[in-house]
Amino acid sequence: MSTTHTLLPAHGRWPADVALWHVPLDLASGQIEGWSTLSAQERERAARYRQDADRVRFAATRAALRAVLGDCVGEPAHSLRFDLSARGKPALAGLPGRLAQVSFNVSHAGAHALIAVSRTRGVGVDIEPVTQDSGWQDIVGEVCTARERSLLHATAGPQQSARFLRYWTAKEAVLKARGTGIAEDGVLRELEIDEERRECRANHADDAGVLRYTWIDDIAGHIGCLAFNMDC
């Protein structure tokens, strides 16, 4: 399988020092380009997936990430090493100076993946398939603020699911850019999505700075969101 990654044009949607890559995935393929660049641990993790599509999705996305980051820092893809922050956000390890501070984030859904990279600011990304029945009503109370729930109820029926997915992807991307993730109970409800300004000010003492986000509508049948730190 030829796993290509395409740089999406910013068109003013995000700063010039942020790169967003789209990776189309051939989930039916038995071969993964870049498999040889994966670490032994990554290959073992891929092998643990029961479904072939899940194995290909993980391994192909990881290989594309290594290719993108290798080009970014000028190192062979197979030589890259990764570490986790205290909150579980991946980071490059074993590189000197600012190279080790390159921020990156990955998300995949279905046959598509997005990879965000920046040398100067924190980034986070999320992608979800667009469906009319995604079961969002069951989790809306865990994800949305009272204001967001009110706006959802006021939205025409067919558009409710799409609006919820915009809230969901924005919150995921923002939290990933902050390096916190969604493990903490209630953390999604702490973020208020302003669809006009597309700005989120962190409300934790250890999360200084302003985050902005932009939705990605470039991929048919999917909605994505890219978040990036403005304080840099």
Side-chain angles (χ1 to χ4, degrees), residues 64-110:
L65 174 64
R66 283 182 168 273
V68 167
L69 290 178
D71 288 343
C72 181
V73 300
E75 297 288 339
H78 71 272
S79 70
L80 298 180
R81 294 190 292 114
F82 299 90
D83 200 357
L84 294 177
S85 71
R87 289 176 165 177
K89 184 174 182 178
L92 287 169
L95 293 176
R98 292 187 60 84
L99 290 183
Q101 299 175 21
V102 171
S103 177
F104 61 91
N105 198 237
V106 173
S107 181
H108 50 63

Side-chain angles (χ1 to χ4, degrees), residues 13-26:
R13 293 176 292 178
W14 54 82
D17 57 12
V18 174
L20 183 64
W21 300 86
H22 171 222
V23 186
L25 305 170
D26 182 357

Side-chain angles (χ1 to χ4, degrees):
M1 176 184 71
S2 176
T3 302
T4 59
H5 44 275
T6 304
L7 187 64
L8 294 180
H11 293 318
R13 293 176 292 178
W14 54 82
D17 57 12
V18 174
L20 183 64
W21 300 86
H22 171 222
V23 186
L25 305 170
D26 182 357
L27 301 182
S29 175
Q31 296 182 339
I32 299 170
E33 181 185 6
W35 175 264
S36 62
T37 67
L38 301 183
S39 68
Q41 184 180 29
E42 289 168 333
R43 296 183 198 182
E44 291 171 3
R45 180 176 171 182
R48 288 198 294 269
Y49 285 100
R50 295 184 178 181
Q51 301 295 324
D52 288 342
D54 293 333
R55 177 181 60 83
V56 171
R57 185 181 296 108
F58 166 77
T61 301
R62 196 71 178 185
L65 174 64
R66 283 182 168 273
V68 167
L69 290 178
D71 288 343
C72 181
V73 300
E75 297 288 339
H78 71 272
S79 70
L80 298 180
R81 294 190 292 114
F82 299 90
D83 200 357
L84 294 177
S85 71
R87 289 176 165 177
K89 184 174 182 178
L92 287 169
L95 293 176
R98 292 187 60 84
L99 290 183
Q101 299 175 21
V102 171
S103 177
F104 61 91
N105 198 237
V106 173
S107 181
H108 50 63
H112 301 275
L114 292 175
I115 299 174
V117 179
S118 178
R119 288 175 173 269
T120 55
R121 66 185 76 228
V123 292
V125 68
D126 188 49
I127 183 173
E128 302 290 339
V130 175
T131 61
Q132 289 301 315
D133 184 19
S134 59
W136 63 269
Q137 296 92 338
D138 298 333
I139 60 173
V140 66
E142 302 172 18
V143 174
C144 295
T145 65
R147 175 181 174 274
E148 291 163 352
R149 293 196 299 272
S150 177
L151 289 171
L152 278 171
H153 291 318
T155 302
Q159 301 302 317
Q160 285 185 332
S161 178
R163 191 169 200 170
F164 173 80
L165 283 175
R166 287 188 175 267
Y167 291 162
W168 174 269
T169 54
K171 295 188 181 199
E172 282 265 16
V174 165
L175 289 171
K176 291 169 77 176
R178 280 166 48 176
T180 57
I182 64 172
E184 298 177 18
D185 184 46
V187 68
L188 290 172
R189 292 194 304 271
E190 294 178 2
L191 299 177
E192 184 82 26
I193 297 304
D194 185 332
E195 294 169 84
E196 294 297 325
R197 297 181 64 188
R198 299 188 184 181
E199 181 176 290
C200 174
R201 185 173 296 276
N203 55 8
H204 288 281
D206 58 347
D207 285 327
V210 176
L211 287 163
R212 290 188 62 84
Y213 50 87
T214 183
W215 283 291
I216 310 300
D217 297 307
D218 305 52
I219 302 168
H222 292 73
I223 176 67
C225 189
L226 170 67
F228 42 91
N229 196 297
M230 293 301 294
D231 295 340
C232 65

